[in-house]
Amino acid sequence: MPATSPLPIAASGSFLILPNVGLMVWVLVIFVICWLLLRRYVFPVIGATLDRRAQSIASEIDAAERLRSEADQVLAEYRERLAEARSQADEIITRARQAGDAHQKEAVEAARAERERLLEQTRRDVEAETRRAIDEIRREVGNLTVLATEKVTRKVLTADDQRRLVEEALSEIDFSVLGGGEG
Amino acid sequence: MSAVTASSPPAPGGSRERADDRGRTGMSRGRKIGLSLFAFWVAGLAFFIAVFGFKSHKAPAVASGVFTPTNEFKLDTWFSVGPVNFNKGVLYVVLAAVITLWILFYTARRLKQRPGRLQAAIEMFYVLTSGMARENLDENLSRRYFPLIATLFVFILVSNLIGYIPLPVDSLDKFTLFGARLPSFQIYAADTNVAFPLILALMVFILFSWERLKAHHGPVGFLKSLMPAGISGPIKPMIFGIEVLSYLLRLVSLTVRLWANLLAGHMLIAFMGGELGVLVGDPWVQWLLFPAGIAIYLFEAVLIAGLQAFIFAVLTAIYLGDAVTSH
């Protein structure tokens, strides 16, 4: 229909609802060409790429899981060793503490024995010194007694007199005080 | 559109500059732009009413009935090679095929393990359509018909989308540029002609009927398979008639859904974008409806184009699946 002819809407609308057969053929041919080309050359390539990516992701996930399980294993081993080391350390500390205690006990015992020995030695020295002092005093007392008696009696005493006088004088003196209550 | 922009909430954590700007004027930038556009629209309306008034100024072609809005959908034969005619419908089909093939071949040749944006979009389309096939068909049929379903989706989608790009294809209404008579620019889609969806629907109808025929071992099994299970008694013939009708109407519904959506969408865009004003002869009507034209254009291009392609592809998968599973 020429473009310049009058075209009332109602009369001209038939081409809107009537299919154009030529266009139908064009659409069918072009669509089928597209379909075949895409089916042959495009979709398989895209599908393969997506499959490859999916496989790569899956293998990466597998690798990650494997690494994780290995890491878990290593961690478990590490924890086990750590626990072992800790128990060994505890044992060492306990043993050291015991050894220290024993050593300390021995040292205390040795110190106590040494003290006892020193005390005994001191006691013996004191006794010997006391005994020596008492003998000295005894000798001095005897001499003084002889001298005093000679002056009182104005005579020289014999050896027997002197001995008797000294023994009498000494028997009257209590030397137990000088011996610390022991003599 | 301006209302949407104006009512959109300010972005959280916006810049201090924006906050200061709002503090000074008490209005966000979006709201200001929206109000400015609205004021421009109202001023334009007032201008056209003031200049032309409410009196109709029909163009001579409109007044004489030469111009009709449906003419833009008429397929004017540009040239013929033997019995083969070439018109704008054919041009759009060829364009759709070239663009579809170019994008897919281009992407397929440059597939990478780490996809770019185009490859990601193509992969998304592949996953979507292969999912359609897998969910509705068994493994064997899915492998056989996935390429058809995917091609239908992408071919219809591209056909729909190029239908929203203005191209100089309206050979019935020419304009002069530097002395040359050129076809007017228009937005046209091949699927606004019923031939486009009809032939695709017919092809799909024949394929799923063939599959049903094979799956049910001949015409008797085919007819029996249309009958729902558990029906007995005198109601059986009536149900059978309804089922046969419903089966045949699949062809009509597949065709009309795509065709009517695209045709109505393009007509609405044309009417709201100024054609109604031309028909009634009032410039202010053109100005009044222009925002609606933009809104419908966006709605059609963003939503309807993809949705109709998706529906056609998914219904193909469903009908093919139904052909082999129904009893």
Side-chain angles (χ1 to χ4, degrees), chain B residues 162-189:
Chain B
I162 58 173
Y164 297 105
I165 303 167
L167 294 175
V169 289
D170 192 359
S171 53
L172 291 175
D173 186 13
K174 294 189 175 175
F175 70 100
T176 308
L177 184 70
F178 302 119
R181 294 282 291 161
L182 298 172
S184 298
F185 279 81
Q186 75 163 124
I187 50 167
Y188 178 77

Side-chain angles (χ1 to χ4, degrees), chain B residues 264-324:
Chain B
H266 277 75
M267 278 185 155
L268 263 176
I269 294 167
F271 274 117
M272 295 299 161
E275 213 163 47
L276 197 65
V278 171
L279 285 176
V280 298
D282 280 327
W284 67 270
V285 174
Q286 292 183 40
W287 188 255
L288 178 78
L289 296 176
F290 193 64
I294 294 173
I296 293 168
Y297 177 90
L298 290 175
F299 175 73
E300 291 282 330
V302 172
L303 188 67
I304 300 297
L307 192 64
Q308 288 306 321
F310 175 82
I311 289 173
F312 200 101
V314 83
L315 280 178
T316 302
I318 289 169
Y319 291 156
L320 280 166
D322 178 60
V324 290

Side-chain angles (χ1 to χ4, degrees), chain B residues 127-191:
Chain B
V127 171
L128 175 78
T129 48
S130 67
M132 272 181 213
R134 269 201 316 275
E135 280 165 23
N136 294 293
L137 306 171
D138 61 38
E139 202 181 329
N140 188 28
L141 276 184
S142 166
R143 216 177 13 252
R144 197 183 319 157
Y145 284 112
F146 156 68
L148 171 72
I149 292 164
T151 310
L152 275 172
F153 179 78
V154 68
F155 189 72
I156 295 172
L157 178 67
V158 173
S159 293
N160 289 351
L161 286 177
I162 58 173
Y164 297 105
I165 303 167
L167 294 175
V169 289
D170 192 359
S171 53
L172 291 175
D173 186 13
K174 294 189 175 175
F175 70 100
T176 308
L177 184 70
F178 302 119
R181 294 282 291 161
L182 298 172
S184 298
F185 279 81
Q186 75 163 124
I187 50 167
Y188 178 77
D191 25 8

Side-chain angles (χ1 to χ4, degrees), chain A residues 32-53:
Chain A
V32 170
I33 291 171
C34 284
W35 175 16
L36 295 178
L37 285 175
L38 294 180
R39 189 177 70 171
R40 176 80 181 79
Y41 297 107
V42 172
F43 294 142
V45 182
I46 298 175
T49 304
L50 289 177
D51 287 348
R52 252 200 322 276
R53 190 180 302 148

Side-chain angles (χ1 to χ4, degrees), chain B residues 15-81:
Chain B
S15 65
R16 178 174 291 179
E17 191 186 331
R18 187 179 293 179
D20 290 348
D21 190 32
R22 194 160 46 241
R24 277 199 304 274
T25 62
M27 221 188 290
S28 71
R29 185 180 295 174
R31 184 176 285 267
K32 275 197 282 188
I33 292 171
L35 280 176
S36 306
L37 285 173
F38 180 72
F40 179 66
W41 179 68
V42 171
L45 205 58
F47 170 78
F48 282 113
I49 290 171
V51 172
F52 297 101
F54 290 105
K55 194 182 166 194
S56 180
H57 296 77
K58 280 190 183 174
V62 177
S64 64
V66 172
F67 174 80
T68 60
T70 52
N71 257 8
E72 63 174 297
F73 298 104
K74 196 170 166 61
L75 293 179
D76 179 33
T77 303
W78 290 345
F79 60 87
S80 302
V81 182

Side-chain angles (χ1 to χ4, degrees), chain A residues 22-171:
Chain A
L23 185 60
M24 281 174 81
V25 176
W26 273 105
V27 172
L28 185 65
V29 171
I30 290 172
F31 177 81
V32 170
I33 291 171
C34 284
W35 175 16
L36 295 178
L37 285 175
L38 294 180
R39 189 177 70 171
R40 176 80 181 79
Y41 297 107
V42 172
F43 294 142
V45 182
I46 298 175
T49 304
L50 289 177
D51 287 348
R52 252 200 322 276
R53 190 180 302 148
Q55 278 170 5
S56 130
I57 290 169
S59 67
E60 273 167 24
I61 289 171
D62 287 348
E65 278 176 0
R66 207 165 46 243
L67 274 176
R68 191 184 163 170
S69 75
E70 279 176 16
D72 285 348
Q73 204 176 330
V74 168
L75 186 66
E77 272 177 28
Y78 164 77
R79 278 183 180 151
E80 199 180 324
R81 283 184 189 177
L82 194 67
E84 208 172 297
R86 196 169 285 156
S87 77
Q88 280 180 358
D90 286 348
E91 197 183 318
I92 289 168
I93 289 169
T94 310
R95 213 179 293 159
R97 193 172 288 146
Q98 283 171 351
D101 287 350
H103 192 72
Q104 190 183 7
K105 210 170 176 181
E106 273 174 22
V108 167
E109 285 299 318
R112 189 177 292 149
E114 181 67 17
R115 193 192 65 179
E116 290 298 323
R117 191 184 65 76
L118 287 173
L119 279 174
E120 189 59 32
Q121 180 70 35
T122 308
R123 199 181 295 126
R124 274 202 300 273
D125 288 352
V126 168
E127 277 178 6
E129 198 59 29
T130 307
R131 209 173 292 128
R132 194 183 59 76
I134 289 170
D135 287 347
E136 187 73 19
I137 291 167
R138 200 175 265 175
R139 203 164 38 249
E140 279 295 313
V141 167
N143 289 338
L144 286 173
T145 306
V146 169
L147 279 176
T149 308
E150 279 178 352
K151 281 194 178 169
V152 170
T153 58
R154 301 276 184 198
K155 69 170 188 179
V156 176
L157 297 172
T158 65
D160 292 338
D161 291 335
Q162 284 180 4
R163 194 180 306 115
R164 187 177 45 84
L165 278 171
V166 167
E167 283 174 359
E168 280 175 8
L170 287 172
S171 66

Side-chain angles (χ1 to χ4, degrees), chain B residues 13 61 122 177 182 211 216 244 256 266:
Chain B
I122 299 295
L177 184 70
L182 298 172
E211 286 299 334
H216 297 93
V244 170
V256 172
H266 277 75

